[in-house]
Amino acid sequence: TIETSLPFTAHLCDPPSRSVESSSQELLDFFRTMALMRRMEIAADSLYKAKLIRGFCHLYDGQEAVAIGMEAAITKKDAIITAYRDHCIFLGRGGSLHEVFSELMGRQAGCSKGKGGSMHFYKKESSFYGGHGIVGAQVPLGCGIAFAQKYNKEEAVTFALYGDGAANQGQLFEALNISALWDLPAILVCENNHYGMGTAEWRAAKSPSYYKRGDYVPGLKVDGMDAFAVKQACKFAKQHALEKGPIILEMDTYRYHGHSMSDPGSTYRTRDEISGVRQERDPIERIKKLVLSHDLATEKELKDMEKEIRKEVDDAIAKAKDCPMPEPSELFTNVYVKGFGTESFGPDRKEVKASLP
Amino acid sequence: SSSSDLPPHQEIGMPSLSPTMTEGNIARWLKKEGDKVAPGEVLCEVETDKATVEMECMEEGFLAKIVKEEGAKEIQVGEVIAITVEDEDDIQKFKDYTPSSDTGPAAPEAKPAPSLPKEEKVEKPASAPEAKISKPSSAPSEDRIFASPLARKLAEDNNVPLSSIKGTGPEGRIVKADVEDFLASGSKETTAKPSKQVDSKVPALDYVDIPHTQIRKVTASRLAFSKQTIPHYYLTVDTCVDKMMGLRSQLNSFQEASGGKRISVNDLVIKAAALALRKVPQCNSSWTDEYIRQFKNVNINVAVQTENGLYVPVVKDADKKGLSTIGEEVRFLAQKAKENSLKPEDYEGGTFTVSNLGGPFGIKQFCAVINPPQAAILAIGSAEKRVVPGTGPDQYNVASYMSVTLSCDHRVIDGAIGAEWLKAFKGYIETPESMLL
């Protein structure tokens, strides 16, 4: 049994207990998976700076506890849909490093066949409905998935993740309204990393208490840097959603990287703030301390585990680099209706030409 | 040492910090070799093509080796700039580290750093008169032709190359009407397109558009660069060439007797210029932002106009060569230029240029454009007979004079220095036997 570091703050509901059940295996798993996520994101950073990853790329380092804690509380029948900061959610849903790096570098073996890139990771077999590039648009989609789950009597719920920036959009309230009206098993998870791109939350939101934004919908504020608090909250929210309908979870978290690769991340916040969070609230350090204090592993064993992880990531990158890019004709598959047998061209009529099936 | 016998370490490559960045400079290191580094700490400041950006460390460990020092310039993206290690004890082992050619998994092929060259390359042209160029030209480049999809289709269906159609759409885009006009004019075969009638009342201009050759583009950009960035000034002096002409005919009679090729005025001018550069080495220099590089070699480029364009082959160490050697080399290089077969070593490494429009064309005097990164160019006018006043009244002499004009980069050569050079040059021309000294 582990106590969450901070109490939950509740809106229109009774907060769950601060005591969370866990096992030594779970603690070690948390450590390993979060370290893997962190390593993967750092590697993506390097690949981007070496121009092997092009275009959009948003990294999750710092926010790992949200992905891991949420995953620990639910099953693969429960759906997750998120925005473009999606690499680690995909990994949490059971995706492989090879699929991640292949997708990031635009290779055939990517989870979207190399055609989606950083923002468009999917894993339908474990109910991951994707990274989405349109800010906020995944929330109404998530409520739609919840509607399907209720309609099909699946006894499953949908977690729709969004950031503190998207939290101010109108479509969220519309989706929430219909979800509440129909008691859909939708859980809106606001990953509050305190900056919508480069805008601090207090500059963008009159009320930065995102867990209260549902008005008539209950909410819970969670320490998003504490994997066990996230786990407890998600377990509670799932129960609530199945019985009573939608609920909002606000995860108080932090991203170490800039918003995207073109944001150095140090112009709208101080380096002291970032290093302060790293020292005081880092989600991996928190688990590490728990592992050490319960004598589940030695410092050396954890270090070795990190080395193993590093190798695992390097191997996955090497393998992904060997994987070919998609055929040019792939440009048109899944774009046009099948069965017309016509020819299609790229913007330059001489370059890409494909016969559609 | 190679990376294989070293302990585990990370090679930190020059990061691409902006979408258009291909190379960067190190503005400042905030960490020293041996410092402990933690994720999120700033390692160094990198100057990208757009801004100076702080580069953060991603790993915990120690900075073992700084490969690219503060101020290092034009580091290709991916090239190793530093090494980090996890164990403090390993720092020492990287003392003499040099990056291996394979820069590790994250780096695309890194080009070797441009070493600080001991000799500047000089190519390309400078003088307005007989400028010159060096790179063999390739076919006109195949730039993308902008055309609307409809125009493209129409042209394809009618088997008309888009390159022969002139676009009138937005930003010169080829639109349907252009293709139709082209088809109507029926001039499918011509590549240089005659102008088309715009308005029957205005008499149409008759013209031909000649596409740029590679050499034309290089000439244009080099000369524009020279004239726009180098503060030129010009010094002209008349030199009496009677003695030199006398010497030349004497030498040529020896040459004929021994079966050698004749010495030209130009050969003598090259020799005199080379010796004057020895005497006034300030004129044998290049400007850079940090320093002026003064060359110890005297390598003289000679402008050669050919059908393909302007070339400037170089006579290396002209100050040390005899007139017949200079003459032979110039003839040989000029021939190669006309055959378009100059190799880079035939035109690189020049430190001064001579352009002669006097002998071949009878131009009296002109001002040449400096051939960057050189600091001066000499323009040779024609020799002409003049009547000059003698010592007493009603006395006069007849003598041949040649006007020469030195164009100088004022950043490198002050007026008096340029004048001193011309004085030395004039001395060699007017007293040619002093070239023997």
Side-chain angles (χ1 to χ4, degrees):
Chain A
T1 308
I2 289 159
E3 286 274 300
T4 64
S5 55
L6 293 172
F8 299 101
T9 319
H11 168 68
L12 298 184
C13 64
D14 294 324
S17 155
R18 283 179 67 183
S19 309
V20 190
E21 292 293 318
S22 184
S23 66
S24 52
Q25 190 52 47
E26 186 177 59
L27 262 168
L28 285 171
D29 278 352
F30 274 17
F31 177 80
R32 194 179 196 293
T33 315
M34 281 203 280
L36 185 67
M37 288 172 172
R38 176 76 51 94
R39 186 77 227 151
M40 175 179 89
E41 295 296 67
I42 301 301
D45 176 276
S46 309
L47 289 173
Y48 197 93
K49 286 174 178 164
K51 298 203 165 186
L52 285 162
I53 299 174
R54 309 305 300 264
F56 294 102
C57 188
H58 307 83
L59 302 179
Y60 202 70
D61 51 328
Q63 304 183 201
E64 295 94 341
V66 177
I68 203 88
M70 183 169 63
E71 208 58 64
I74 61 174
T75 71
K76 297 284 189 284
K77 272 186 72 186
D78 296 314
I80 299 181
I81 185 166
T82 185
Y84 39 78
R85 209 176 297 283
D86 58 353
H87 310 168
C88 292
I89 307 278
F90 174 78
L91 202 68
R93 289 264 91 179
S96 73
L97 284 173
H98 180 53
E99 287 173 292
V100 170
F101 286 117
S102 297
E103 190 58 43
L104 287 174
M105 293 191 275
R107 315 287 166 146
Q108 283 178 3
C111 53
S112 302
K113 296 182 178 162
K115 297 196 285 178
S118 166
M119 303 204 292
H120 303 110
F121 283 24
Y122 302 89
K123 195 166 177 62
K124 196 183 166 199
E125 62 276 22
S126 47
S127 313
F128 177 43
Y129 288 90
H132 289 263
I134 312 290
V135 177
Q138 74 279 12
V139 177
L141 293 178
C143 294
I145 297 167
F147 179 61
Q149 286 168 328
K150 186 179 172 87
Y151 185 84
N152 293 329
K153 301 195 170 57
E154 285 175 15
E155 290 299 302
V157 300
T158 297
F159 287 80
L161 282 67
Y162 56 95
D164 48 302
N168 302 312
Q169 286 192 359
Q171 57 178 334
L172 269 78
F173 298 92
E174 297 172 34
L176 192 61
N177 177 57
I178 203 86
S179 302
L181 209 53
W182 293 344
D183 295 332
L184 300 182
I187 298 161
L188 271 60
V189 182
C190 176
E191 285 185 280
N192 181 3
N193 61 24
H194 305 283
Y195 296 93
M197 297 182 77
T199 307
E201 56 177 344
W202 61 269
R203 296 170 64 124
K206 180 70 186 170
S207 160
S209 300
Y210 300 105
Y211 68 105
K212 289 188 191 162
R213 287 291 193 85
D215 184 10
Y216 42 83
V217 174
L220 199 62
K221 183 169 180 178
V222 186
D223 177 7
M225 300 299 265
D226 179 350
F228 287 103
V230 175
K231 180 186 166 189
Q232 186 76 332
C234 289
K235 208 168 142 192
F236 171 82
K238 180 174 175 180
Q239 199 59 37
H240 177 98
L242 287 174
E243 288 166 11
K244 300 176 193 157
I247 180 170
I248 297 178
L249 299 179
E250 178 186 345
M251 305 286 186
D252 178 359
T253 183
Y254 202 81
R255 70 168 145 75
Y256 295 149
H257 256 92
H259 165 76
S260 70
M261 299 312 293
S262 45
D263 170 18
S266 56
T267 47
Y268 47 86
R269 52 184 191 179
T270 62
R271 290 204 177 273
D272 288 347
E273 178 185 312
I274 307 169
S275 60
V277 175
R278 276 186 194 272
Q279 272 159 26
E280 308 284 327
R281 299 180 61 206
D282 187 83
I284 302 181
E285 286 300 314
R286 186 192 300 272
I287 299 297
K288 191 172 167 183
K289 271 183 208 141
L290 283 170
V291 169
L292 294 174
S293 66
H294 288 84
D295 286 329
L296 301 175
T298 63
E299 188 104 31
K300 165 109 186 27
E301 283 168 334
L302 294 183
K303 203 84 210 156
D304 288 346
M305 199 189 267
E306 281 176 351
K307 282 188 179 150
E308 217 174 274
I309 286 168
R310 180 190 293 268
K311 189 168 178 320
E312 204 178 312
V313 169
D314 288 348
D315 289 349
I317 293 173
K319 202 171 142 202
K321 276 186 191 165
D322 288 341
C323 186
M325 303 267 182
E327 295 297 326
S329 61
E330 272 290 295
L331 198 55
F332 307 105
T333 49
N334 312 337
V335 174
Y336 298 112
V337 172
K338 288 184 182 173
F340 289 112
T342 50
E343 280 209 317
S344 196
F345 303 90
D348 185 330
R349 295 179 75 84
K350 298 212 169 47
E351 282 223 335
V352 181
K353 202 180 264 194
S355 273
L356 300 180
Chain B
S1 49
S2 79
S3 22
S4 52
D5 49 357
L6 289 166
H9 62 279
Q10 284 78 47
E11 292 174 328
I12 300 191
M14 169 59 72
S16 164
L17 295 168
S18 90
T20 52
M21 174 174 171
T22 57
E23 56 180 33
N25 310 332
I26 306 280
R28 193 156 71 97
W29 279 100
L30 287 98
K31 294 281 174 189
K32 296 193 299 293
E33 285 180 9
D35 278 1
K36 189 174 181 5
V37 292
E41 288 188 329
V42 179
L43 273 182
C44 61
E45 290 174 357
V46 173
E47 271 175 38
T48 72
D49 51 341
K50 299 206 175 90
T52 302
V53 183
E54 292 171 329
M55 181 190 181
E56 284 181 24
C57 183
M58 289 295 152
E59 317 264 356
E60 195 168 313
F62 296 88
L63 184 58
K65 172 82 183 167
I66 291 175
V67 180
K68 296 287 178 195
E69 292 296 333
E70 214 159 277
K73 301 250 186 273
E74 292 166 14
I75 304 162
Q76 300 294 317
V77 166
E79 206 175 316
V80 177
I81 58 171
I83 301 291
T84 59
V85 293
E86 274 183 57
D87 296 321
E88 194 167 9
D89 304 336
D90 291 338
I91 296 173
Q92 273 312 98
K93 298 175 186 160
F94 288 89
K95 243 183 123 132
D96 305 315
Y97 173 88
T98 45
S100 54
S101 53
D102 177 19
T103 48
E109 84 278 42
K111 291 182 205 145
S115 58
L116 291 177
K118 42 188 193 330
E119 203 180 74
E120 274 291 341
K121 301 190 299 246
V122 174
E123 299 150 43
K124 291 131 241 185
S127 83
E130 291 197 358
K132 40 278 149 168
I133 277 227
S134 28
K135 290 230 178 81
S137 59
S138 58
S141 64
E142 282 197 18
D143 283 333
R144 178 175 160 194
I145 297 166
F146 289 92
S148 74
L150 180 54
R152 217 171 261 280
K153 173 102 171 66
L154 196 61
E156 205 174 53
D157 291 349
N158 288 287
N159 211 10
V160 178
L162 281 173
S163 55
S164 56
I165 303 176
K166 191 168 166 61
T168 62
E171 298 186 65
R173 189 173 306 162
I174 298 168
V175 294
K176 183 184 165 199
D178 298 328
V179 184
E180 286 173 341
D181 284 356
F182 185 85
L183 292 172
S185 73
S187 53
K188 286 181 202 178
E189 261 64 60
T190 50
T191 44
K193 183 185 172 300
S195 65
K196 96 187 157 218
Q197 300 284 118
V198 181
D199 186 332
S200 53
K201 285 181 195 142
V202 181
L205 288 172
D206 196 12
Y207 59 78
V208 175
D209 290 337
I210 298 152
H212 297 320
T213 59
Q214 192 57 31
I215 193 166
R216 177 58 35 206
K217 284 186 197 166
V218 174
T219 309
S221 81
R222 297 275 302 184
L223 292 178
F225 169 79
S226 173
K227 214 53 199 240
Q228 282 164 8
T229 63
I230 298 179
H232 284 65
Y233 71 92
Y234 312 96
L235 302 172
T236 304
V237 75
D238 288 339
T239 57
C240 174
V241 294
D242 288 339
K243 279 195 191 167
M244 189 179 80
M245 290 305 194
L247 176 68
R248 175 174 169 245
S249 51
Q250 237 176 318
L251 290 174
N252 278 338
S253 56
F254 294 141
Q255 288 289 92
E256 269 158 36
S258 66
K261 288 268 166 50
R262 289 171 63 82
I263 309 286
S264 71
V265 173
N266 204 45
D267 301 337
L268 285 152
V269 164
I270 291 170
K271 180 75 189 173
L275 292 173
L277 286 168
R278 271 251 154 272
K279 211 178 233 183
V280 187
Q282 290 95 319
C283 295
N284 199 36
S285 306
S286 277
W287 171 263
T288 72
D289 286 341
E290 286 83 32
Y291 47 81
I292 289 170
R293 175 171 292 159
Q294 203 173 92
F295 298 101
K296 298 206 165 123
N297 302 69
V298 177
N299 298 341
I300 297 202
N301 289 105
V302 184
V304 179
Q305 183 70 42
T306 73
E307 281 180 8
N308 304 314
L310 182 56
Y311 291 87
V312 269
V314 64
V315 178
K316 300 246 169 84
D317 295 317
D319 55 328
K320 302 195 183 89
K321 284 179 178 156
L323 284 167
S324 66
T325 316
I326 292 176
E328 262 166 45
E329 277 189 24
V330 171
R331 255 191 302 279
F332 178 64
L333 290 169
Q335 188 57 36
K336 273 177 104 173
K338 292 199 171 90
E339 288 161 4
N340 208 0
S341 62
L342 286 174
K343 301 220 168 59
E345 61 262 31
D346 293 332
Y347 50 79
E348 284 177 357
T351 60
F352 185 88
T353 301
V354 173
S355 176
N356 187 347
L357 292 180
F361 301 105
I363 298 297
K364 187 177 157 65
Q365 185 258 331
F366 66 101
C367 301
V369 181
I370 293 169
N371 179 10
Q374 298 172 6
I377 183 167
L378 186 68
I380 308 293
S382 62
E384 56 176 9
K385 278 209 168 117
R386 289 185 203 164
V387 176
V388 290
T391 41
D394 299 330
Q395 280 193 323
Y396 60 89
N397 298 318
V398 176
S400 291
Y401 282 88
M402 176 175 82
S403 286
V404 298
T405 302
L406 183 70
S407 311
C408 301
D409 179 347
H410 210 315
R411 297 172 303 179
V412 181
I413 305 167
D414 289 334
I417 305 293
E420 200 168 306
W421 187 89
L422 273 179
K423 190 179 147 203
F425 177 78
K426 183 179 159 90
Y428 285 124
I429 295 291
E430 297 191 342
T431 323
E433 55 273 26
S434 65
M435 285 198 260
L436 292 169
L437 290 172

